[in-house]
């Protein structure tokens, strides 16, 4: 088992590099690459209900060009079921509002299912998340109802590197550097040229204040397709992430 862990740790940088280079190579020779600067604010909440069940809730807002233009908001809720301490399956529903110049022009309804695997490689932590989304879009600005549908497959891998302990009394108070990559692929009869949806390369210094609270100031290099087959979009995203992990179990019932 230790040999397997060592092999995974040795190839991790190449996995991230492959995920980063895939969309770049797919767009080679295309006509145009646009750029965008964005700011995202998101809060994530996990509540342990029992030794097996976890309630999941997150919400966020996104801006373009600093805080000049509203881009989108998202609210997502779900549940997770732990098959083992390292493996969790889950599902839920997300609702997203997408802005035009000044108002919401499109809604997205997004059921999802996922598998989350977490493990330790010595002092390093590693997680893999596989998610399937069923995306339903409804335009608000047209006089007639238009509804689009497609599937989206997401794979995210994240490596946590502990940098420093910040308290001699609380071992959970520390500084961690999270590095990750997530690739998104579309599927469905309405998908023509844009099977590749986007790729996110993540660099995320994280202050782990205690077992329940962490704050991450994340840089997200996002490379995405657009409705035009000849145009791709590079976004430089500053992403503030706040995470709460709560435990609602009766102390006497914990494993």
């Amino acid at each position: 088992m230790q040999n397997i862990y060592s092999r995974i740790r040795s190839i991790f940088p190449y996995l991230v590099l492959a995920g980063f280079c895939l969309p770049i190579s797919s767009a080679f020779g295309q006509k145009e690459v646009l750029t965008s600067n964005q700011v995202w604010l998101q809060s994530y909440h996990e509540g342990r209900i029992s030794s097996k069940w976890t309630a999941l809730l997150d919400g966020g807002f996104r801006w373009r060009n600093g805080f000049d233009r509203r881009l989108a908001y998202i609210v997502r809720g779900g549940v997770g079921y732990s098959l083992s301490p390292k493996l969790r399956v889950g599902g839920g529903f997300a609702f997203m509002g997408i802005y035009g110049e000044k108002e919401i022009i499109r809604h997205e309804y997004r059921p999802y299912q996922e598998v989350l695997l977490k493990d330790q490689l010595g002092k390093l932590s590693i997680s893999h998340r596989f998610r399937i989304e069923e995306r339903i879009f409804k335009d608000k600005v047209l006089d007639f109802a238009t509804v689009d549908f497609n599937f989206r497959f997401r794979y995210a891998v994240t490596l946590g590197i502990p940098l420093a302990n910040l308290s001699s009394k609380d071992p959970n108070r520390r500084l961690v550097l999270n590095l990750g990559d997530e690739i998104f692929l579309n599927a469905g009869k309405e998908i023509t040229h844009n099977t590749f949806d986007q790729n996110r390369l993540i660099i995320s210094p994280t202050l782990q204040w205690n077992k329940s609270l962490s704050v991450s100031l994340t840089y997200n290099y996002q490379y995405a397709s657009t409705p035009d087959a000849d145009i791709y979009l590079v976004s430089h995203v500053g992403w503030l992430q706040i995470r709460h992990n709560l435990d609602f179990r009766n102390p006497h019932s914990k494993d």
Side-chain angles (χ1 to χ4, degrees):
M1 184 65 71
Q2 185 62 38
N3 291 336
I4 295 176
Y5 288 166
S6 299
R7 183 170 299 178
I8 293 175
R9 180 166 49 188
S10 66
I11 67 174
F12 179 86
Y14 302 100
L15 292 175
V16 173
L17 183 61
F20 175 65
C21 291
L22 177 60
I24 301 297
S25 61
S26 69
F28 182 78
Q30 299 296 332
K31 292 182 179 178
E32 189 173 4
V33 176
L34 305 178
T35 59
S36 170
N37 295 309
Q38 300 180 18
V39 176
W40 296 2
L41 174 63
Q42 198 144 357
S43 181
Y44 301 84
H45 308 267
E46 293 192 8
R48 293 295 300 273
I49 301 172
S50 69
S51 60
K52 296 293 186 181
W53 290 99
T54 302
L56 308 169
L57 178 67
D58 70 273
F61 208 94
R62 302 173 184 179
W63 296 264
R64 180 185 290 127
N65 299 330
F67 294 96
D68 289 343
R69 292 182 56 188
R70 292 174 292 181
L71 179 61
Y73 67 82
I74 185 169
V75 179
R76 178 169 37 215
V79 294
Y81 182 81
S82 297
L83 299 175
S84 73
K86 297 179 180 180
L87 181 63
R88 188 179 77 191
V89 297
F93 185 87
F95 176 77
M96 192 170 192
I98 302 168
Y99 286 88
E101 289 295 329
K102 294 183 179 180
E103 62 182 11
I104 296 291
I105 61 172
R106 204 174 205 204
H107 283 149
E108 179 184 347
Y109 307 88
R110 188 194 299 174
Y112 73 91
Q113 305 80 42
E114 67 179 17
V115 177
L116 178 65
L117 175 63
K118 293 185 177 182
D119 208 347
Q120 290 291 132
L121 303 177
K123 294 184 178 181
L124 307 180
S125 62
I126 187 169
S127 69
H128 303 268
R129 189 186 69 194
F130 304 87
R131 180 178 287 179
I132 302 174
E133 299 172 330
E134 297 80 38
R135 309 176 74 198
I136 304 165
F137 300 94
K138 185 175 181 180
D139 288 322
K140 289 178 58 64
V141 297
L142 301 178
D143 294 333
F144 55 92
T146 59
V147 178
D148 298 322
F149 174 82
N150 71 272
F151 294 95
R152 187 166 69 177
F153 301 91
R154 301 170 56 168
Y155 168 64
V157 56
T158 305
L159 184 69
I161 305 170
L163 299 180
N165 293 324
L166 303 178
S167 172
S168 58
K169 297 181 180 180
D170 186 354
N172 295 298
R173 186 166 301 170
R174 55 184 185 156
L175 185 64
V176 178
L177 178 62
N178 290 313
L179 303 175
D181 191 86
E182 184 171 16
I183 189 165
F184 301 64
L185 300 175
N186 294 317
K189 66 179 182 180
E190 297 182 5
I191 300 301
T192 55
H193 65 276
N194 56 338
T195 300
F196 165 75
D197 181 67
Q198 62 180 272
N199 190 85
R200 294 177 182 174
L201 182 66
I202 301 295
I203 302 173
S204 184
T206 299
L207 173 61
Q208 181 74 48
W209 186 251
N210 53 40
K211 290 180 66 175
S212 302
L213 177 64
S214 67
V215 179
S216 303
L217 187 58
T218 302
Y219 171 69
N220 170 16
Y221 181 92
Q222 182 171 276
Y223 191 93
S225 63
T226 70
D228 192 320
D230 295 332
I231 298 178
Y232 286 78
L233 178 64
V234 169
S235 298
H236 303 280
V237 182
W239 190 358
L240 179 62
Q241 299 173 291
I242 303 171
R243 297 181 182 273
H244 295 87
N245 295 312
L246 305 175
D247 197 333
F248 299 108
R249 293 176 294 173
N250 186 319
H252 302 293
S253 68
K254 295 180 182 179
D255 294 342

